[in-house]
Amino acid sequence: MLSRLAFALAALSLFSACSGESTAPGPSGPCSDATLAPDEYVAGLTRAGKNGTVGVKLLDALPAPPAAGSNEWEVQLIDASNGPLPNAIITKVRLWMPSHGHGSGVTPTVTPGENGKATIKALEFVMPGVWTVTVSAQNEEATDEATFAFCIDG
Ligand SMILES: [Cu+2]
């Protein structure tokens, strides 16, 4: 009798564990690959440079959050303390879909502005999913690159 009760309790706890899992919102949609952790878009989002020298601040995105189709970003090159780097320039902007292993097919254009700022146009996210945008930059002393990742909805 006691062992039956123990078994019933064990079965009940197993059941509740499973039902608990099933009610949790599971990953779904175009960005369900759990190995990729896209950024949550906010104006002013910063990404440090890989080498710790030239990072990028995403001042504004059009549309916001980034979406499928053609996007335009206002960015600013920044140092490790998020201060502007007036003499840094962007050398390359690369779009990539890590889970599919392909890029955009469209080369973004960069127009430099004041105080390390730049306008990046023709950011073409050609399909839904997680996209990375890697901004390569350099100043007098260093070259660096900073990468954003966003979930692009269909
Ligand atoms: Cu793709």
Side-chain angles (χ1 to χ4, degrees):
M1 188 64 195
L2 265 179
S3 66
R4 275 189 178 217
L5 184 61
F7 177 79
L9 284 173
L12 188 66
S13 68
L14 272 177
F15 174 76
S16 52
C18 287
S19 64
E21 269 172 5
S22 70
T23 54
S28 63
C31 302
S32 57
D33 186 340
T35 64
L36 303 166
D39 297 315
E40 198 71 47
Y41 173 80
V42 288
L45 181 69
T46 61
R47 297 298 281 171
K50 196 171 71 178
N51 303 326
T53 51
V54 185
V56 178
K57 181 188 272 189
L58 179 49
L59 298 172
D60 200 10
L62 191 73
S70 191
N71 289 243
E72 182 178 327
W73 288 5
E74 294 290 328
V75 301
Q76 186 169 36
L77 299 172
I78 53 172
D79 61 20
S81 319
N82 292 346
L85 285 170
N87 297 324
I89 57 161
I90 293 174
T91 54
K92 188 180 177 188
V93 179
R94 181 175 183 254
L95 276 63
W96 194 249
M97 272 196 106
S99 58
H100 295 179
H102 67 78
S104 168
V106 178
T107 304
T109 61
V110 179
T111 308
E114 304 256 296
N115 210 22
K117 292 180 186 175
T119 303
I120 307 172
K121 292 185 181 178
L123 289 154
E124 286 272 352
F125 302 110
V126 295
M127 63 180 291
V130 176
W131 284 83
T132 60
V133 177
T134 300
V135 178
S136 303
Q138 64 182 50
N139 64 6
E140 302 92 328
E141 302 104 44
T143 62
D144 209 343
E145 62 179 47
T147 301
F148 294 90
F150 289 113
C151 174
I152 302 299
D153 286 326

